[in-house]
Amino acid sequence: EEMIPELIVPNLEGCDLKPYVSYAVKDIYQDELTSQDLFNAIYGPKIVADYKAGKLDEQGNSTEPSENEKLTSEEAYLRARQTGSDIFQGGEPENKLWKLDIPVGKAT
């Protein structure tokens, strides 16, 4: 019997304590997502690629629009509110430079 461990667990019902988070956790900093950031993330790469490939008409519209570019404002509004439509999951962005010459986030 001495070799069998005995676990004593307190009853935590009604306890106001919060889960423990180690101080060794890396801080994550992410600026507020602005409408400009969202535009840059969704449309920016395609606009830059179309510009470099010469695929823009006289008004600056793509001659080969993507599915997102074909949406009406009402369709885009509804799609943005669908479950799973989040493009940013938090944490660190995959590419901090975004490979665009457009400022992203708030200037510090």
Side-chain angles (χ1 to χ4, degrees):
E1 278 186 43
E2 290 182 27
M3 299 300 287
I4 300 174
E6 181 181 352
L7 298 177
I8 301 172
V9 180
N11 181 358
L12 296 177
E13 278 188 40
C15 180
D16 292 332
L17 293 176
K18 304 293 181 210
Y20 172 77
V21 177
S22 170
Y23 286 102
V25 173
K26 186 172 112 178
D27 286 339
I28 296 175
Y29 175 77
Q30 184 173 350
D31 284 332
E32 175 184 342
L33 181 66
T34 65
S35 57
Q36 183 70 45
D37 296 334
L38 186 59
F39 181 87
N40 291 345
I42 298 295
Y43 298 106
K46 173 84 165 61
I47 292 171
V48 171
D50 284 350
Y51 175 77
K52 288 181 179 179
K55 295 181 180 178
L56 299 177
D57 63 15
E58 300 81 38
Q59 287 88 26
N61 298 317
S62 177
T63 56
E64 299 173 5
S66 67
E67 290 303 313
N68 285 337
E69 292 171 306
K70 293 178 185 177
L71 294 176
T72 65
S73 61
E74 293 81 18
E75 291 171 329
Y77 180 86
L78 291 173
R79 188 176 288 182
R81 278 144 186 80
Q82 289 178 346
T83 303
S85 65
D86 295 338
I87 62 166
F88 293 101
Q89 300 299 320
E92 293 184 26
E94 291 180 22
N95 182 349
K96 293 181 182 181
L97 300 177
W98 292 89
K99 295 184 180 179
L100 293 174
D101 293 329
I102 302 169
V104 177
K106 294 182 180 179
T108 54

